[in-house]
Amino acid sequence: MQVSFIGLLVCTGILLLGCYFRAPLIIGLIVSLTFGATAVVTLSSLGGSSPLIFTFFAALLVTAVAFRRRIWRHLGDVFGEIRPIWALCGLMLYAMVGAWLFPRFFAGDTIVFVQSTMRRGVVEAPLAPVSGNISQTGYFVLGGLTAIALCVLLLHKDRMDQIRRAFLLSCGLHCGMGLIDLIGKLAGAGDVLRPIRTANYAMLSEVKTGGFWRITGAASEASAFGGGSLACLAFCYVYWRKTKSRLAGGLAVLVLVLLALSTSSVAYVGLAILSIPVAISILRSFLSGRFDKTEILILTVVSLGVCMALAIGLYDEGFFTPYVQLLDSMVINKGNSSSGQERAYWNAKSMEAFFETSGLGVGLGSSRASSWPIAVASQLGLVGGLMMAVLLVVVFRGMGSLKQYIDPETNAVVSSVRACALASIVAGSLAGGSADPGIGFFIAVAVICATRVRALGASTPDTRLPTQDS
């Protein structure tokens, strides 16, 4: 085991930031998600696996909650009031059993893609136990335990202000890292954030596409930065629409600019998908004759942007040629590229593995796909997929009709966290290689479930849960 000094230094800085805002556990966990290429240690015994710094904060949160004075009573409240937690526990158990059993039971019966331990990259090989079964299952279980721990914290005390601050800080830090990375490359300094990239990943941080630098921020590659940008944009946009917060609005604009400059196909396609519900919302307001000020502002900005683009195009016909070529290579013809064809082949073989294991799956961490739903099907099988679908429905439903029993600020935070999680699912569906939806998804499950229970308590005072912090 090799400890990363830079990783520990970043963890210390995040802890100090969390202490300053008097929420070191929640703020530390959410802010640490920004550093997608900074590891705490490198575990040579697990094929060089390098846990990212969020695992430190997640473990710290789970440990702190486990040592609470009335933990068993609080766990009883969580499991008694939040039924989706049972689906989460069942999914964790299935993932652990499947990660150990299925690669051995179906060994050699199907072909999968795994990370090579001899050289960087993904290779095609017969199904067999690999170090990823341990590391990825560990990440998944840690995410589930984090959701349970957050439910304990959120169920017995209103911590929505801490959640709000944590996500806004994370979005601001994401933008800051993206700007530093872009400015450093444009200035000829190269990858100025290289010192914090301590994870044992293939770092694609100094790459050009069509003459444009690819923005990676604190992530390992542009697609990871693009996925994170989609999640940040969704949170800031929804929070701005519901509260008119200038900070959230400014961050949303900045994230949108960075996303447009990221040269990530995940970012571009994901943005197009996320624009659909926004367009439907504006169209619904138009048909009902009730335009919101924010919707008028959005339409005005879009109209001015289109007019400006047309004026520039008329003045200089070749101005947009590099951008058109970039979109053509990164989005339109992405499927025809060698990378696109390779990823399509990964997905095809992953679905073959699903059927060749009779729908049971090959086990978490046994294979690599290029789409989160396909990874869920191939690794967790039909049973695991159904339990995952339960959690996805929880996030998709959000507060539903219960939002009338909570204050507008709480509803805004919960809706923003929900949008952030759904945006990350969209990004993962475009290029996710693992069945793990990410710890951000588990945070959203906890925030939504705990708030729904508190809302139910407000609607029926006789069943209201205690709110004291003990």
Side-chain angles (χ1 to χ4, degrees):
M1 182 178 71
Q2 183 178 357
V3 179
S4 169
F5 173 75
I6 296 296
L8 292 179
L9 192 62
V10 173
C11 288
T12 302
I14 295 175
L15 272 177
L16 292 176
L17 181 65
C19 290
Y20 176 79
F21 287 102
R22 299 181 180 181
L25 295 179
I26 291 178
I27 288 181
L29 172 63
I30 295 174
V31 169
S32 66
L33 299 179
T34 305
F35 296 87
T38 307
V40 182
V41 296
T42 298
L43 304 175
S44 55
S45 59
L46 290 179
S49 176
S50 49
L52 300 179
I53 60 173
F54 81 83
T55 59
F56 168 76
F57 289 96
L60 189 63
L61 175 68
V62 172
T63 303
V65 170
F67 281 97
R68 288 168 69 92
R69 186 175 58 181
R70 299 182 181 179
I71 181 59
W72 294 112
R73 177 183 174 182
H74 292 170
L75 285 176
D77 291 336
V78 169
F79 282 89
E81 298 291 338
I82 303 177
R83 286 178 291 181
I85 290 296
W86 290 98
L88 174 60
C89 291
L91 182 57
M92 288 192 293
L93 180 61
Y94 186 84
M96 288 187 291
V97 173
W100 181 87
L101 178 63
F102 296 154
R104 292 167 174 81
F105 187 77
F106 296 110
D109 290 346
T110 187
I111 300 297
V112 295
F113 286 88
V114 294
Q115 188 72 31
S116 174
T117 57
M118 302 299 295
R119 56 185 177 86
R120 294 183 183 270
V122 179
V123 297
E124 190 173 4
L127 177 63
V130 292
S131 60
N133 295 129
I134 300 175
S135 59
Q136 291 192 30
T137 303
Y139 282 128
F140 188 86
V141 172
L142 181 61
L145 293 177
T146 301
I148 297 173
L150 274 176
C151 284
V152 171
L153 294 178
L154 298 175
L155 204 58
H156 295 86
K157 186 178 180 181
D158 185 3
R159 289 181 167 85
M160 283 299 114
D161 186 60
Q162 296 179 9
I163 297 292
R164 176 187 64 84
R165 288 186 178 183
F167 272 95
L168 288 176
L169 283 170
S170 180
C171 293
L173 192 59
H174 178 84
C175 292
M177 292 294 181
L179 284 174
I180 292 172
D181 180 54
L182 178 60
I183 293 172
K185 290 172 179 175
L186 293 178
D191 184 13
V192 296
L193 295 177
R194 182 188 298 274
I196 68 171
R197 305 186 201 278
T198 60
N200 190 24
Y201 300 156
M203 300 294 174
L204 303 177
S205 56
E206 293 188 81
V207 179
K208 273 190 173 182
T209 298
F212 295 88
W213 280 108
R214 307 198 71 185
I215 304 177
T216 55
S220 59
E221 58 181 353
S223 62
F225 178 82
S229 297
L230 288 174
C232 290
L233 178 62
F235 179 90
C236 294
Y237 174 79
V238 172
Y239 189 76
W240 170 68
R241 283 292 303 271
K242 290 186 173 294
T243 66
K244 311 300 186 292
S245 167
R246 292 184 179 180
L247 174 60
L251 286 174
V253 172
L254 185 54
V255 173
L256 184 60
V257 172
L258 288 173
L259 190 147
L261 297 174
S262 66
T263 70
S264 167
S265 56
V266 172
Y268 297 153
V269 177
L271 180 61
I273 295 173
L274 295 181
S275 298
I276 296 175
V278 176
I280 292 175
S281 175
I282 295 176
L283 179 61
R284 186 182 302 163
S285 298
F286 175 77
L287 294 176
S288 63
R290 293 181 296 180
F291 261 120
D292 185 79
K293 290 183 179 179
T294 56
E295 294 173 332
I296 296 175
L297 178 60
I298 293 171
L299 289 176
T300 302
V301 171
V302 171
S303 300
L304 288 175
V306 172
C307 292
M308 186 179 297
L310 290 174
I312 294 173
L314 290 174
Y315 178 77
D316 184 0
E317 295 182 359
F319 182 85
F320 291 107
T321 300
Y323 302 96
V324 172
Q325 292 176 347
L326 175 65
L327 287 175
D328 182 68
S329 61
M330 298 306 300
V331 180
I332 300 174
N333 290 318
K334 179 68 174 180
N336 296 327
S337 65
S338 58
S339 174
Q341 292 176 353
E342 180 182 24
R343 292 178 178 274
Y345 185 56
W346 292 359
N347 289 336
K349 297 301 291 185
S350 294
M351 290 308 300
E352 283 184 18
F354 170 78
F355 291 109
E356 290 174 351
T357 57
S358 302
L360 292 175
V362 297
L364 189 61
S366 294
S367 65
R368 175 73 182 268
S370 187
S371 176
W372 178 71
I374 294 177
V376 170
S378 63
Q379 297 178 25
L380 297 178
L382 182 61
V383 176
L386 290 175
M387 288 187 281
M388 184 69 78
V390 171
L391 301 179
L392 189 59
V393 168
V394 169
V395 175
F396 188 81
R397 178 181 59 177
M399 293 302 299
S401 60
L402 291 176
K403 62 184 178 183
Q404 61 183 312
Y405 299 111
I406 58 178
D407 61 274
E409 176 64 22
T410 297
N411 181 53
V413 174
V414 175
S415 299
S416 302
V417 173
R418 167 182 173 269
C420 180
L422 292 176
S424 67
I425 290 297
V426 169
S429 299
L430 295 173
S434 172
D436 187 350
I439 199 164
F441 177 83
F442 292 112
I443 291 173
V445 169
V447 170
I448 293 170
C449 288
T451 308
R452 286 184 64 88
V453 171
R454 292 176 67 88
L456 282 171
S459 64
T460 54
D462 292 339
T463 60
R464 189 179 301 173
L465 287 172
T467 58
Q468 72 273 14
D469 185 30
S470 54

